[in-house]
Amino acid sequence: MTSARPSPTTGLPSLAQLRALLAVADAGGFGEAAAELGVSQSTLSEAISKLEALAGRPLLRRGRGGTQPTPAGERMLTHARAAVQAAGDALLAAQEDTQLRGILRVASFRSTATHLLPPALAAFRAQHPGVTVRLLDGETEGGGQNLVRRGQADAAIVIEENWGDLRLTPLVMDEYLFVSPARRGAHPVTPDDLRGPLLLAPGANACNLRVMGYLRRYGVQPQEVTEIGEDSVILGMVAHGLGVSVMPRLALEPLPDGLVALPLPERLMRPLALATLPHRANLPVIRAFTDALLAALHRPQAPAPDPAAALPGGASLLH
């Protein structure tokens, strides 16, 4: 009795096929994905065709706006990311702490990438020259926390929230300040000062949602806010008397001439944390980066608020 041979379209997808699907879905086109993977478009198309044969249905759809996943492709993407990530993590887990290799992707706000990360990255590179760190924009794609969830970032600096699916390592408390022309003086900020004209960065990211939630308590509505994409443009306009703003302290360092930054009527803080997936947090490369970041933040040269911004009860900035 002979056993039936499996059909060419049965079996499990290869990691190469899953990587091809992820690359095309993320890049939005075959040409961009082929360049990212360093393969020809024909090789990429063949991998996708074989994967679609295994799935028994189309996974990608070409259109005027680029190549997008079909509903079946969308469902497969989550599992494809997990499978590709797990395969890579198996090798990462086997590394020795003193001989780390590979790529570490870190998502960050612009302000934290400017003031918090450089000392940590310098120390991390000195200790682990075989690891390449890629910085990602943590203010797009739903925030750095979602990049971590989707496997597109290994770690992200985020505003700490009650997320049960992420491991959050507390970093610093960063205070939001009222920014106005220097000629206003340093007298305390009142609720009336918040009525503007108010200039804020755009987008429904965690930082802006936190600020708008605060402002609504003082009767400020979204339609009263003018959104401007660049912090430097906002500060330039404020310096010339065209409005006021609310920004995190780290985004204001160093404060440009012609401006004053003062505590809000009620203090508003953003607790910054490093987010990772719980099952990946102890991978040697992620653990080493977390340790380097914490060590850099506790050094004397790490950014710190002036005495006026001390937390209630004398709490430390770093925790």
Side-chain angles (χ1 to χ4, degrees):
M1 180 176 179
T2 59
S3 59
R5 288 187 174 183
S7 161
T9 58
T10 62
L12 296 175
S14 69
L15 288 174
Q17 292 165 351
L18 296 178
R19 286 193 188 97
L21 176 67
L22 294 175
V24 176
D26 290 343
F30 279 78
E32 299 88 339
E36 176 70 22
L37 294 178
V39 300
S40 66
Q41 288 193 49
S42 60
T43 298
L44 202 60
S45 295
E46 182 180 0
I48 296 296
S49 295
K50 290 181 178 178
L51 187 60
E52 290 180 327
L54 286 170
R57 54 189 48 82
L59 301 173
L60 296 170
R61 179 183 297 113
R62 290 180 174 89
R64 291 183 178 179
T67 301
Q68 300 293 328
T70 64
E74 285 284 3
R75 294 192 297 272
M76 183 179 282
L77 281 175
T78 298
H79 301 283
R81 290 193 196 282
V84 171
Q85 187 177 79
D89 285 354
L91 296 177
L92 292 177
Q95 291 187 343
E96 299 292 339
D97 290 349
T98 56
Q99 295 180 327
L100 300 180
R101 297 287 186 273
I103 296 173
L104 181 71
R105 301 157 301 168
V106 180
S108 174
F109 301 113
R110 283 171 292 181
S111 57
T112 53
T114 300
H115 296 290
L116 296 188
L117 283 181
L121 293 177
F124 183 76
R125 176 182 292 178
Q127 295 168 0
H128 307 288
V131 179
T132 299
V133 179
R134 292 182 179 172
L135 288 182
L136 308 177
D137 187 351
E139 299 179 78
T140 60
E141 303 292 333
Q145 66 275 9
N146 284 335
L147 293 177
V148 170
R149 290 184 177 113
R150 292 196 297 265
Q152 294 172 286
D154 302 300
I157 295 181
V158 300
I159 298 176
E160 188 172 351
E161 300 286 355
N162 186 24
W163 294 317
D165 61 328
L166 296 175
R167 169 82 63 86
L168 297 174
T169 301
L171 299 176
V172 301
M173 294 290 286
D174 190 22
E175 184 180 9
Y176 290 93
L177 299 174
F178 173 79
V179 188
S180 72
R183 62 177 177 272
R184 175 197 179 276
H187 55 273
V189 177
T190 68
D192 286 342
D193 290 322
L194 300 177
R195 304 209 65 87
L198 197 57
L199 311 177
L200 296 179
N205 56 59
C207 188
N208 287 357
L209 292 174
R210 200 175 193 87
V211 171
M212 283 308 306
Y214 177 92
L215 293 173
R216 283 192 185 93
R217 301 205 300 268
Y218 289 94
V220 178
Q221 299 302 315
Q223 58 268 26
E224 300 177 61
V225 173
T226 299
E227 295 186 340
I228 299 174
E230 294 294 330
D231 291 350
S232 59
V233 176
I234 292 176
L235 296 177
M237 293 179 70
V238 171
H240 284 82
L242 298 175
V244 297
S245 188
V246 175
M247 288 189 182
R249 181 181 295 276
L250 285 175
L252 294 169
E253 294 184 346
L255 186 67
D257 293 338
L259 296 172
V260 63
L262 303 166
L264 293 165
E266 287 183 71
R267 288 277 171 81
L268 177 65
M269 314 297 289
R270 61 171 185 172
L272 298 175
L274 187 69
T276 58
L277 291 174
H279 67 277
R280 305 190 74 227
N282 285 320
L283 288 173
V285 67
I286 294 179
R287 187 175 64 243
F289 174 74
T290 303
D291 291 345
L293 180 55
L294 290 173
L297 290 175
H298 284 82
R299 293 190 191 113
Q301 68 268 28
D306 58 35
L311 298 180
S316 171
L317 172 75
L318 299 174
H319 60 284

